Amino acid sequence: MDRLDARALRRIAPPPRVVDWSILVVVTTAVGTGLLSWTGWLSPALLVTLHTVVSLTLVGLLLFKFARVANRVRDSRNWDRATPISVLLGAVVVAVLALGIFWGLGGNVPVGPWTTLNVHIGFGLLAIPLLLLHLRARLRLPSRTDASRRSALKTGGLLVAGVLAWRATEFVAATRDVVTRETGSKPIGDLADTDTEGGSFPVTSWVADDPDPVEPETWSLAVSGQVDEELELGHGDLPSGDERTVQRETLDCTSGWYTIQEWGGVRIGDLLDEAGVTDEAAWVRFVSVTGYRWSLPLAEAREALLATHVGGRPLSHGHGAPARLVAPGRRGFQWVKWVERVELRRDPDPAQWFVTLVSGFD
Ligand SMILES: Nc1nc2c(c(=O)[nH]1)N[C@H]1C(S)=C(S)[C@@H](COP(=O)(O)O)O[C@H]1N2
Ligand SMILES: [Mo]
């Protein structure tokens, strides 16, 4: 940016502290909406839209900020102990924004097993501790002189620009035929590492879950907890051929891809009717041979499927053979693979969040 542009930017910029506090609000919102969009607690469409709008607003705010500090940073005599962190933070945030916009416009350059969305999220998480360090060194409380109608208008104008920029990216993405779901995921296309044996979609494990193949002959499925009668089913006890329930459901991974497949297996509702559930039962927990687990409210679990097949063929090991959970409407990480226990419980299981990160580490 040459000096003249920087001066023009400085002239239209809201006061420094208004810019800085707006950046903090916008970054917090971006991180919050980004993380929440995985959980399914709120409408993903709303969260992803909000995430995009505030992030594009951040682009404008950063231009003001960089124009203001550029001269100071250029002269090394102005540097103090906190400056390297601040410069690194600036670079990381620019990378996060660039990767996010690139993904939103339909780009994807996988790095090993990671999609561009994964890399965007990784840099985003890295920015959090850097931001905290930066704030510790530089935080200034807002003063009353910063609050004026003028600066409120300028800040509001930026938000409007963010909304317009979001509409523009939507338009560009549409002309490029990018089919994203409301979660921001794209259909599998040029993603590497596809397993065609059990349907052409990637085999994905969350962190370190990579068990040896589970032999159907020695595998068994336990239905236990708040049940009238515990069940222990072998592979041969699961429905075969026409007896299988087949549901067309969307597997949507937080790595940013989705696939629509026909899953065949046993309805959890049927399984529970066979065991009989007690009045105490409120949650159903699905546990993998690796310890990985997830729980669904009882009513929702009844509509889920314990799948043994996909696309009319037996699941491959990578996709969770002999049986994996298919949880309609839930994100992929909740679709537990290699299920060996179905537990009826009174309570939810908050520790499951943590377990998904560490299961598989010995
Ligand atoms: N036991 C277990 N189940 C798991 C995972 C895992 O790491 N361990 N990964 C989840 C994630 S993040 C996704 S997106 C889906 C991927 O299913 P796939 O490998 O059949 O594509 O499985 C889910 N089930
Ligand atoms: Mo995933």
Side-chain angles (χ1 to χ4, degrees), residues 118 204-206 251-257 292 331-334:
N118 290 138
T204 311
S205 274
W206 188 212
L251 171 56
D252 185 338
C253 175
T254 42
S255 297
W257 56 263
Y292 192 104
R331 295 307 289 268
F333 70 89
Q334 296 155 330

Side-chain angles (χ1 to χ4, degrees), residues 256-278:
W257 56 263
Y258 72 88
T259 181
I260 301 170
Q261 300 281 339
E262 300 216 316
W263 306 91
V266 56
R267 251 189 89 248
I268 302 300
D270 294 342
L271 209 57
L272 299 190
D273 289 342
E274 205 175 317
V277 298
T278 72

Side-chain angles (χ1 to χ4, degrees), residues 316-334:
S316 65
H317 166 59
H319 289 309
R324 65 105 43 92
L325 178 64
V326 167
R330 295 277 182 158
R331 295 307 289 268
F333 70 89
Q334 296 155 330

Side-chain angles (χ1 to χ4, degrees), residues 29-172:
T29 312
V31 171
T33 49
L35 292 178
L36 275 180
S37 71
W38 288 4
T39 62
W41 279 332
L42 290 164
S43 141
L46 180 79
L47 289 168
V48 170
T49 302
L50 200 58
H51 185 77
T52 311
V53 170
V54 293
S55 302
L56 292 170
T57 306
L58 180 59
V59 174
L61 287 165
L62 284 180
L63 283 178
F64 292 144
K65 170 110 192 179
F66 291 159
R68 189 178 89 218
V69 299
N71 285 335
R72 217 186 311 151
V73 172
R74 219 172 282 148
D75 188 342
S76 60
R77 279 170 303 178
N78 296 325
W79 282 47
D80 61 21
R81 279 179 48 208
T83 311
I85 296 280
S86 304
V87 171
L88 183 61
L89 173 62
V92 169
V93 171
V94 168
V96 175
L97 285 169
L99 290 165
I101 292 168
F102 180 64
W103 174 264
L105 294 179
N108 181 34
V109 180
V111 184
W114 294 296
T115 61
T116 294
L117 183 64
N118 290 138
V119 182
H120 163 78
I121 293 166
F123 275 112
L125 295 176
L126 174 66
I128 296 172
L130 292 174
L131 179 66
L132 293 175
L133 289 172
H134 174 74
L135 286 174
R136 208 180 67 166
R138 299 272 193 262
L139 188 70
R140 300 284 173 277
L141 293 177
S143 72
R144 295 194 59 179
T145 51
D146 295 322
S148 70
R149 223 169 79 93
R150 238 174 101 80
S151 55
L153 279 176
K154 283 176 171 173
T155 316
L158 268 182
L159 205 54
V160 172
V163 173
L164 292 178
W166 161 64
R167 296 305 308 174
T169 60
E170 295 274 279
F171 178 74
V172 173

Side-chain angles (χ1 to χ4, degrees), residues 194-229:
T194 55
D195 172 8
T196 43
E197 194 198 329
S200 55
F201 55 102
V203 165
T204 311
S205 274
W206 188 212
V207 179
D209 251 30
D210 186 16
D212 291 334
V214 182
E215 298 305 331
E217 300 80 44
T218 51
W219 173 85
S220 66
L221 178 75
V223 183
S224 62
Q226 296 294 326
V227 290
D228 299 332
E229 187 194 347

